[in-house]
């Protein structure tokens, strides 16, 4: 039933990897390459060379990494893991390969931090996102984005960090759960912003360096300037995004970590600014109102991401999002194809590493990948590694020392085929005087002979350097069809000077033949904050795909729908402008659908009064029904988030609100709707509204009252003996419960037999050896590791106990554990305990399987208490 975990032997790993690779793709035996990993646990295309860089002696439990343009690797070591609570076990380790031969030459402990979740290097600075603990009480007080300086380049931070954003995750649930749904990766775009992936813990009153406060219920993407100012929400409604991949044109992609059961799978998405992605309240029954993901890929756990843009890499592996999936032990490629304002995609397996956590690349094309490798939910000092990956045709070419380069040389670097090089050159340019940077970058912007990625990099460099003084030139660029989209983005990018930006280029662009230009214009009009733009926004057409799912059905939340993007963003822009008057005025016109869509989110008495007045002026039955739906939506609103609660790993997904409350116009809405209900012959319509919107109007019927489930209200004592609780819970929830339940070893021994464990595992050396020997499991594995091995049997296969498939002469096939082997024979035992002796000369093929013979879910029928008892019994086996 269980598998034994043995320590990673770094020496054999290094020896084997450095001597055994051939020119063809291959999977390497787990017992020699990565003991304690999946069988066939490492593989990659033949065009690449993947070699070990560090093991757990330097980089145990690597949660994230970042690579400086010059090649130094910064690894976030997190021996606390996602569920651990004891501080003092995290650090940022700096690794240096001084001659770039793929072998580590030196390392330093750059800084001590707890729970590092994101790292970014910019010049002499290293930005880190991590959990902060109280020195007095030793408990988490939040997560901060901080910056360290290393001006003398000795690989050790010059002093304490400086906070840029404080409290950007909910401390209540960091304390009770750990960082499993907290705030995660950080990455910088060519627009200069730092993008922060926020899990669905959300945050309350995060504060940036200007003193600006921000609150976000649930997950999404937040961004901030490198100086810690202008913090703002970029997109909302994701669940547990770990990282973002950003392409040279500021398209942002995520592979979202959502696999906690209940139908929530991993999704690959294109995130658009101001977009609403719906988790959890709109995600199932209000999918007409969200931007859907590009694909649902099933179970997994998305982690680190990178948009590879480096011309030293083979064309087939370049200019593509690379997305790590910890749960599937894979780095995936998502081949994206432009589709109007968004994309379609095709997923493709790329590099396989056991529990891969992150990937990054330097300016020369050296990519580094980190792997958790069975380190468990609470970290492990003996697990984890980092590898380097380069094309076989690759040769090292040093990147310039940007501090010593001239402005002209740095602008020339914006033409390079590496997005990392371009970004590094840009960031250094922004430290130089505007008087020299702005004209030099502008020259490149206007050079039509240069590739688009270089002109776009120069455009954003110019915009950041020139500031408001560059508005006039950016307006001129909107006349250039090639650069119009990016000029509009740059013009609306900084709200500090939005009032100086004219509306005309944006209004004109609403009718552009390019859907991407239209989208940039729509987003920009919402950001500029000028209410007079509302009339033009209301002219955006709503496509036929704007259809609410049928009652009690789940809508298409992971089917690409580029057609909906402009209307969706127009509705969000109207809400941002609080364009109540314009939307009310549009009722009764061909703009009614978009106006009512936007009004659903405008909890303003003028909106309610306006809809009621418009209702009495029209005889259009279909429009009247749309107005009633909108008023019903406005009957309640979402409660202001105070950070005191969380909706747990399996929230109520009915929607449209999670914590619905009444507001000042609720009585007026109810009075009007009750009057219409009394006069209507279609009572079923109102019953459906009551059910769909959870209005709790008893007279209408169709309503089943429910109470929102909150994480803080879970009573472990009440549910610990509930049969089947293990199967109903996420693995994280089971592990958290295990921390608090000791269990009964006597009951555990009984369960060991009842659950069928004894069929595959021996407890005594006197018994026939079957699967992994359990008689000393407690001296090899911790209680947490034993539990995880039961819950995730495929996470790490023990040395010598991988499932083997043998095909032999006579069309015979065998599958099981190899219990004995010599030059002349192989002895195999299957899951039923049957023993087979096979002549070596009869074996035609032999293959290690990627899955454990132990099926997943064997503990699903157990209660928390029973599972704790089983784990306790096994942990006491120390013969």
């Amino acid at each position: 039933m269980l598998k034994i975990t043995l320590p990673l032997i770094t020496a054999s790993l290094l020896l084997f990897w450095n001597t055994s690779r051939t020119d063809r793709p291959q999977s390497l035996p787990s017992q020699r390459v990565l003991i304690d990993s999946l069988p066939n646990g490492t593989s990659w295309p033949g065009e690449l060379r993947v070699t070990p860089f560090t093991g757990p002696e330097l980089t145990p439990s690597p949660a994230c990494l970042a690579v400086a343009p010059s090649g130094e690797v910064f690894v976030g070591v997190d021996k606390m893991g996602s569920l651990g609570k004891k501080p003092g076990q995290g650090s940022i380790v700096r690794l240096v390969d001084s001659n770039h031969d793929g072998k580590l030459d030196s390392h330093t402990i750059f800084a001590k931090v707890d729970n590092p979740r994101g790292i970014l290097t910019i010049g002499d600075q290293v930005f880190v996102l991590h959990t902060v603990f109280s020195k007095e009480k030793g408990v988490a007080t939040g997560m901060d984005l901080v910056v360290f300086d290393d001006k003398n380049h000795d690989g050790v931070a010059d002093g304490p960090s400086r906070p840029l954003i404080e409290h950007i995750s909910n401390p209540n649930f960091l304390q009770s759960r750990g960082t499993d749904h907290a705030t995660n990766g950080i990455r910088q775009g060519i627009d200069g912003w730092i993008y922060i992936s926020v899990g669905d813990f959300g945050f309350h009153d995060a504060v940036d360096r200007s003193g600006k406060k921000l609150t976000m219920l649930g997950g999404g993407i937040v961004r901030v300037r490198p100086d810690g100012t202008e913090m703002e929400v970029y997109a909302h409604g994701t669940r547990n995004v770990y990282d973002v991949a950003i392409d040279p044109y500021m398209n942002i992609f995520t592979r979202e970590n959502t696999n906690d059961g209940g139908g929530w799978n991993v999704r690959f998405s294109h995130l658009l600014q101001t977009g609403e992605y719906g988790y959890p309240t709109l995600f199932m029954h209000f999918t007409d109102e969200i931007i859907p993901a590009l694909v649902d890929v099933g179970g997994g756990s998305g982690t680190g991401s990178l948009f590879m843009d480096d011309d030293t890499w083979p064309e087939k592996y370049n200019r593509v999002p690379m997305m790590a999936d910890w749960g599937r032990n894979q780095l995936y490629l998502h081949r994206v194809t432009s589709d109007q304002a968004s994309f379609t995609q095709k997923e493709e397996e790329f590099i396989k590493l056991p529990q891969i956590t992150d990937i990054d690349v330097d300016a020369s094309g050296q990519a580094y990948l980190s792997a958790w490798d069975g380190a468990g939910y609470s970290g492990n000092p003996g697990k984890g590694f980092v590898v380097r990956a380069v094309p076989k045709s690759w040769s090292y070419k040093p990147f310039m020392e940007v501090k010593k380069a001239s402005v002209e040389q740095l602008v020339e670097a914006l033409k390079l085929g590496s997005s990392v090089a371009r970004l590094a050159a840009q960031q250094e340019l922004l430290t130089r005087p505007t008087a020299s940077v702005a004209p030099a970058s502008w020259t490149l912007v206007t050079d039509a002979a240069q590739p688009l990625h270089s002109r776009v990099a120069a455009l954003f460099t110019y915009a950041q350097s020139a500031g408001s003084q560059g508005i006039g030139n950016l307006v001129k660029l909107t006349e250039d069809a090639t650069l119009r989209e990016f000029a509009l983005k740059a013009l609306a990018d900084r709200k500090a000077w939005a009032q100086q930006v004219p509306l005309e280029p944006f209004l004109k662009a609403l009718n552009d033949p390019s859907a991407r230009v239209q989208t940039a214009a729509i987003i920009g009009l919402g950001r500029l904050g000028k209410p007079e733009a509302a009339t033009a926004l209301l002219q955006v057409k709503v496509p036929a795909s704007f259809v609410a799912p049928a009652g009690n059905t789940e809508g298409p939340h992971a089917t690409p729908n580029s057609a909906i993007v402009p209307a969706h963003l127009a509705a969000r822009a109207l809400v941002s402008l609080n364009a109540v008057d314009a939307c009310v005025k549009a009722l009764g016109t061909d703009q009614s659908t978009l106006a009512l869509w936007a009004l659903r989110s405008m909890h303003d008495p003028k909106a309610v009064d306006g809809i009621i007045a418009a209702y009495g002026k029209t005889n259009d039955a279909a429009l009247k029904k749309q107005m009633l739906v909108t008023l019903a939506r406005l009957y309640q609103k979402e409660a202001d988030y105070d950070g005191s609660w969380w909706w747990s790993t399996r929230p109520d997904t009915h929607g449209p609100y999670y914590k619905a409350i009444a507001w000042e116009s609720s009585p007026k809405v109810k009075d009007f709707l009750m009057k219409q209900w009394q006069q209507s012959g279609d009572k079923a319509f109102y019953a459906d509204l009551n059910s769909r919107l959870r209005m709790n109007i008893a007279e209408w019927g169709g309503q089943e009252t429910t109470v929102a489930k909150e994480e803080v209200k879970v009573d472990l004592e009440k549910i610990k003996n509930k049969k089947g609780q293990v199967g109903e819970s996420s693995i994280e929830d089971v592990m958290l419960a295990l921390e608090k339940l000791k269990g009964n070893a006597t009951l555990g021994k009984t369960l060991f037999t009842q659950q069928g464990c004894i069929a595959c595992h021996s407890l005594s050396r006197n018994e026939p050896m079957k699967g992994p020997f359990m008689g000393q499991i407690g001296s090899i594995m911790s209680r947490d590791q034993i539990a995880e091995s039961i819950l995730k049997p495929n996470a790490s296969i023990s040395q010598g106990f991988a499932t083997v498939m043998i095909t032999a002469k006579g069309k015979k096939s065998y599958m099981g554990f190899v219990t004995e082997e010599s030059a002349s024979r192989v002895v195999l035992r299957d899951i039923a305990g049957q023993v087979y002796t096979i002549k070596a000369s009869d074996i035609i093929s032999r293959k290690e399987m990627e899955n454990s013979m132990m099926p997943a879910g064997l503990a699903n029928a157990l209660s928390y208490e029973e599972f704790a008892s089983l784990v306790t019994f096994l942990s006491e086996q120390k013969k």
Side-chain angles (χ1 to χ4, degrees), residues 533-552:
T535 302
L537 285 167
L538 282 161
Q539 296 175 21
V540 175
K541 301 299 181 185
V542 179
S545 59
F546 180 68
V547 178
N552 297 316

Side-chain angles (χ1 to χ4, degrees), residues 100-377:
H100 304 282
D101 63 352
K103 298 177 182 178
L104 179 68
D105 293 315
S106 64
H107 75 280
T108 53
I109 304 300
F110 180 81
K112 294 281 191 178
V113 296
D114 287 306
N115 280 139
R117 280 296 178 270
I119 310 174
L120 173 69
T121 70
I122 303 176
D124 296 334
Q125 297 181 320
V126 178
F127 296 75
V128 180
L129 178 72
H130 71 99
T131 306
V132 177
F133 283 77
S134 164
K135 292 182 180 179
E136 295 75 23
K137 298 182 179 180
V139 299
T141 58
M143 294 188 82
D144 291 356
L145 175 64
V146 304
V147 60
F148 293 94
D149 294 311
D150 182 16
K151 296 188 182 301
N152 61 3
H153 304 137
D154 65 351
V156 178
D158 294 341
S161 65
R162 291 174 283 114
L164 299 181
I165 298 179
E166 297 173 272
H167 314 306
I168 196 167
S169 190
N170 191 315
N172 296 320
F173 306 105
L174 290 171
Q175 292 173 17
S176 63
R177 293 187 61 91
T179 64
D180 65 328
H181 283 245
T183 305
N184 299 297
I186 54 176
R187 193 170 288 279
Q188 188 176 35
I190 198 66
D191 59 358
W193 292 86
I194 297 174
Y195 289 81
I196 307 167
S197 303
V198 180
D200 70 326
F201 280 172
F203 56 84
H204 178 260
D205 275 354
V207 58
D208 72 6
R209 289 334 318 132
S210 70
K212 178 181 180 179
K213 290 185 176 181
L214 190 66
T215 292
M216 187 162 76
L217 171 59
I221 305 298
V222 170
R223 67 179 192 171
V224 69
R225 301 304 300 178
D227 65 357
T229 63
E230 301 181 53
M231 171 179 59
E232 63 182 30
V233 175
Y234 180 82
H236 179 261
T238 59
R239 184 172 185 270
N240 199 20
V241 172
Y242 198 89
D243 200 4
V244 295
I246 308 176
D247 80 1
Y249 310 110
M250 289 311 306
N251 294 299
I252 294 181
F253 302 97
T254 67
R255 184 181 174 101
E256 193 175 346
N257 176 0
T258 68
N259 188 32
D260 277 323
W264 301 110
N265 290 334
V266 170
R267 304 183 296 274
F268 175 75
S269 299
H270 171 216
L271 297 189
L272 288 129
Q273 189 172 15
T274 72
E276 172 58 54
Y277 291 80
Y279 182 87
T281 53
L282 305 179
F283 189 75
M284 292 187 71
H285 305 302
F286 299 85
T287 50
D288 52 323
E289 300 182 35
I290 70 171
I291 296 179
L294 301 185
V295 67
D296 182 321
V297 297
S301 296
T303 46
S305 304
L306 169 73
F307 191 94
M308 177 61 78
D309 181 40
D310 190 293
D311 57 6
T312 67
W313 278 63
E315 183 66 25
K316 64 191 293 188
Y317 305 129
N318 194 21
R319 289 180 286 277
V320 62
M322 295 181 174
M323 320 295 287
D325 194 303
W326 180 90
R328 293 189 176 192
N329 310 289
Q330 280 280 356
L331 181 67
Y332 287 93
L333 307 181
H334 286 270
R335 300 198 180 278
V336 292
T337 302
S338 183
D339 178 21
Q340 299 181 63
S342 188
F343 296 87
T344 57
Q345 70 81 51
K346 185 177 180 181
E347 182 191 65
E348 183 178 306
E349 292 184 356
F350 182 41
I351 295 175
K352 187 166 191 174
L353 290 179
Q355 295 183 316
I356 181 172
T357 55
D358 209 354
I359 176 173
D360 204 9
V361 67
D362 72 4
S364 76
Q366 296 178 102
Y368 291 85
L369 300 86
S370 55
W372 198 247
D373 192 32
Y377 287 94

